[in-house]
Amino acid sequence: MRQTEFDGRGSCIRWTEAPGGGPARVYVHGLGSASTVYNAHIAARPELAGRRTLFVDLPGHGISDRPADFGYGLENHAAALAAVLDAAEVTGAELVAHSMGGSVAIVLAHRRPELVSRLLLVEANLDPNPTVTAGSSGIAAYEEDDYVENGGHARVLDKVGHPWAATMRLADPRALHRSATGLVHGTTPTMRRMLLGLTMERVYLQGGLSGELPGAEDLEAAGVRVVTVPGAGHNIMFDAPDAFAEAVLGTA
């Protein structure tokens, strides 16, 4: 495990790392998740072995610190992820980023393109104000204190299934609420607009059970390869690990 400061006040973001060749492959989890839980079984596959691999837990999640005075918006998370890559002396990384982590990866690539050579976005959030669910919108629907202190966190945990609840229990409730709120508010320009303007290799992985990806034609026209995985939902790495590994490898 390695760590580096991310907020100027001594709070640390942490990651676990496997040695290997480059370019480094960096896994970034979604809201309320943890990178090793969602990706270690993929990175350990023989066809993906031999690469330097980082599993990053964003602030407020997993093994990283969770300061009460941190913003936890997408820009905040992207700056913390940049601190990891700088501390690890990584440039030109391949980012494998799920859900909210995909949004964070887009912001990072927009701000610091020298850090990223390839984006594999796994059902990343591209637009603000997603449909109200038990996920980001459901969490953000609460006022922060109601979520943290008056049972909102427990009610959300009761609504979500395994494995999300298992990792969500490890996230700090206030950090989780602020992260969800930041995801719902999105960025200016939007994550979709940032993605359209990037020039590195970009792949968007969509689960077939999640329905059609809105705006897929515009993404493909801008050079983003959209890959739909039949029979998979939001957690493609669990639902279709073979197809997920192919996408990471670049053969899907």
Side-chain angles (χ1 to χ4, degrees):
M1 184 177 68
R2 297 185 59 188
Q3 66 180 38
T4 193
E5 185 178 339
F6 67 86
D7 66 348
R9 299 182 180 90
S11 302
C12 288
I13 183 172
R14 297 183 177 89
W15 68 98
T16 53
E17 184 169 336
R25 186 173 287 141
V26 181
Y27 291 89
V28 188
H29 62 81
L31 178 70
S33 300
S35 283
T36 51
V37 175
Y38 276 66
N39 296 295
H41 67 295
I42 298 296
R45 293 172 66 107
E47 65 268 35
L48 296 176
R51 289 287 293 277
R52 185 184 181 191
T53 304
L54 285 68
F55 302 94
V56 181
D57 283 350
L58 295 171
H61 293 72
I63 58 176
S64 290
D65 287 344
R66 45 206 68 201
D69 56 354
F70 190 64
Y72 297 100
L74 294 173
E75 295 90 347
N76 303 123
H77 284 304
L81 181 57
V84 169
L85 300 184
D86 287 340
E89 298 183 337
V90 168
T91 57
E94 294 186 2
L95 298 187
V96 181
H98 180 225
S99 197
M100 182 188 79
S103 306
V104 172
I106 291 169
V107 176
L108 173 68
H110 175 74
R111 286 183 166 189
R112 300 279 307 275
E114 78 280 4
L115 296 180
V116 183
S117 64
R118 182 176 188 253
L119 284 174
L120 175 58
L121 304 171
V122 187
E123 295 226 343
N125 301 78
L126 300 181
D127 305 299
N129 302 310
T131 303
V132 175
T133 65
S136 59
S137 296
I139 294 171
Y142 288 89
E143 294 294 330
E144 183 173 307
D145 286 343
D146 284 340
Y147 184 80
V148 176
E149 300 173 5
N150 297 325
H153 183 59
R155 286 192 289 274
V156 169
L157 283 177
D158 285 341
K159 291 180 181 179
V160 303
H162 173 79
W164 196 18
T167 55
M168 190 184 289
R169 289 186 293 106
L170 304 177
D172 177 76
R174 195 172 301 278
L176 188 62
H177 184 273
R178 291 181 186 174
S179 295
T181 301
L183 185 58
V184 169
H185 288 168
T187 56
T188 303
T190 65
M191 299 85 79
R192 182 183 296 272
R193 183 56 54 190
M194 290 183 193
L195 179 60
L196 290 171
L198 295 173
T199 58
M200 72 280 294
E201 182 183 355
R202 295 152 293 158
V203 180
Y204 192 102
L205 207 60
Q206 175 82 350
L209 299 180
S210 299
E212 293 186 9
L213 174 65
E217 290 185 0
D218 290 339
L219 291 174
E220 291 182 323
V224 181
R225 189 160 66 92
V226 178
V227 178
T228 300
V229 181
H234 188 60
N235 295 327
I236 301 172
M237 68 290 293
F238 295 142
D239 296 340
D242 290 344
F244 190 87
E246 289 178 2
V248 174
L249 193 61
T251 58

